[in-house]
Amino acid sequence: MAIIHELIEQAEAESLDEKAKRIGFIVALSGTLYTCSLSRHSAVYIEKNEIEWDLWRETHLPDKRDLISFRIIASSKDFKFIWRKAENYMKYIQKKKAKDL
């Protein structure tokens, strides 16, 4: 019985991985953690903790590990909600970058 449960969890994780990849995220930990670099100093993360999914952005000082900005974009128990928020945020960033050029 445990094998079936493990196969179902693996299939769900792979499905989440594919959804995250479609909007530009890299799989850091299958079914749990995804990352997308916005620049040399800034990145966006999707992470599942024990309770819910979190979507956040971090910005660091150039060539340092010091965090200068941290913003929680969304938190939810529903991955689809987080995925839509991440997709919209990535579109916003792309538009902003295009406008700045």
Side-chain angles (χ1 to χ4, degrees), residues 8 17 23 26 38 40 52-53 59 63 72 90 101:
I8 291 170
D17 294 352
I23 58 172
I26 295 170
L38 299 177
R40 290 181 39 207
E52 63 190 1
W53 287 94
T59 303
D63 303 320
I72 295 175
M90 299 308 287
L101 295 177

Side-chain angles (χ1 to χ4, degrees), residues 3 20 31 37 52 60 68 70-72 80 82 96 101:
I3 293 173
S37 178
E52 63 190 1
H60 295 265
I68 59 170
F70 175 85
R71 178 175 174 229
I72 295 175
K80 289 180 185 177
I82 294 297
K96 187 176 175 183
L101 295 177

Side-chain angles (χ1 to χ4, degrees), residues 43-98:
V44 177
Y45 301 91
I46 298 173
E47 181 179 28
K48 182 178 183 182
N49 60 39
E50 292 179 13
I51 300 169
E52 63 190 1
W53 287 94
D54 294 317
L55 170 66
W56 81 92
R57 184 194 73 223
E58 289 183 0
T59 303
H60 295 265
L61 286 172
D63 303 320
K64 305 273 185 190
R65 290 187 177 188
D66 299 335
L67 185 67
I68 59 170
S69 175
F70 175 85
R71 178 175 174 229
I72 295 175
I73 300 164
S75 294
S76 177
K77 292 182 180 182
D78 182 16
F79 181 81
K80 289 180 185 177
F81 175 79
I82 294 297
W83 183 76
R84 285 190 303 270
K85 287 288 190 181
E87 184 176 39
N88 289 338
Y89 187 75
M90 299 308 287
K91 287 177 183 176
Y92 163 76
I93 293 297
Q94 289 172 353
K95 285 180 185 177
K96 187 176 175 183
K97 283 184 179 181

